[in-house]
Amino acid sequence: MHFGLSAQHGFGPQFWREIVLSHFLSGEVLTKAALAERIAGIHEQIEAKPIKLAYAGEAAGAFLGTYTKPDGLGNLGILRKGTDSYLVLDPEAPPTWAVAYALLDLWEAQFGDQVAAGLNELYGERGLTSLFMISRGRLNTMLETMQAEGMLELHLIAAPYQVLLLKRDRAWVLGKLYGTDFAE
């Protein structure tokens, strides 16, 4: 759900991605008022017209509630609600196969039918490390697990480092994630 809301090609509003990428940094303190101003600024930049701060405040409240309420994404451990602010935590890394599923989605959106992509494309703002708040090393470890299971192949002998996607089967990845055979 977090990936779907935050990915560039995801279903969340544009401000969602911008806030995740620029403010989900471990130790950062967020306030609803500051986020409302940021959302209003993002909206004005994208739509070329202002939005009422009250509406932006409602959006900020929805965003913050999503990451703090247990019936939302609160169990991810990204935000902790304080009295008047929210602390960005250093959450646990997601399961490898959840990242694998996101990789398939990202690959389809960014690379289409390409077999290979540069490893650097999976890092940073457009990739998986920022959205999942994980280090390059953690992602590399996950990619090595995916390679051991035959999903992809890493070419790390000489730069530019490449990832070759061998399996695009989402049901297979879901089976790995949930320990069930989702094959049709």
Side-chain angles (χ1 to χ4, degrees):
M1 179 76 96
H2 166 72
F3 178 78
L5 288 166
S6 306
Q8 184 172 4
H9 61 281
F11 53 83
Q14 186 64 33
F15 78 81
W16 204 283
R17 173 183 171 71
E18 297 300 322
I19 291 171
V20 166
L21 293 177
S22 60
H23 294 292
F24 273 16
L25 306 169
S26 181
E28 185 160 344
V29 176
L30 307 174
T31 65
K32 184 177 175 183
L35 284 182
E37 288 181 24
R38 178 84 167 107
I39 290 168
I42 292 167
H43 182 274
E44 188 167 355
Q45 182 180 18
I46 293 170
E47 300 295 328
K49 61 183 177 182
I51 185 175
K52 289 184 178 181
L53 198 53
Y55 294 148
E58 289 177 23
F63 178 89
L64 293 166
T66 297
Y67 287 101
T68 55
K69 293 179 181 175
D71 60 341
L73 299 177
N75 292 332
L76 294 179
I78 295 173
L79 288 181
R80 181 184 316 136
K81 184 177 187 205
T83 305
D84 294 322
S85 62
Y86 299 79
L87 177 64
V88 179
L89 304 173
D90 187 15
E92 293 287 324
T96 295
W97 296 105
V99 173
Y101 193 87
L103 172 65
L104 291 178
D105 190 66
L106 178 83
W107 197 288
E108 183 179 301
Q110 289 187 10
F111 310 119
D113 291 334
Q114 281 180 225
V115 174
L119 182 57
N120 281 336
E121 297 293 323
L122 302 183
Y123 300 146
E125 189 174 305
R126 294 191 66 206
L128 299 170
T129 55
S130 294
L131 293 175
F132 285 115
M133 300 173 68
I134 57 175
S135 68
R136 288 179 177 208
R138 173 74 68 174
L139 180 60
N140 289 345
T141 300
M142 292 174 172
L143 292 172
E144 288 169 0
T145 299
M146 292 175 214
Q147 178 175 252
E149 293 290 328
M151 178 180 170
L152 53 83
E153 194 172 289
L154 297 169
H155 289 251
L156 306 175
I157 295 173
Y161 304 125
Q162 296 285 305
V163 178
L164 277 70
L165 187 60
L166 304 176
K167 280 188 182 178
R168 296 174 186 258
D169 185 350
R170 291 175 190 245
W172 179 81
V173 172
L174 287 173
K176 290 294 204 181
L177 179 61
Y178 294 109
T180 306
D181 184 9
F182 282 93
E184 297 180 340

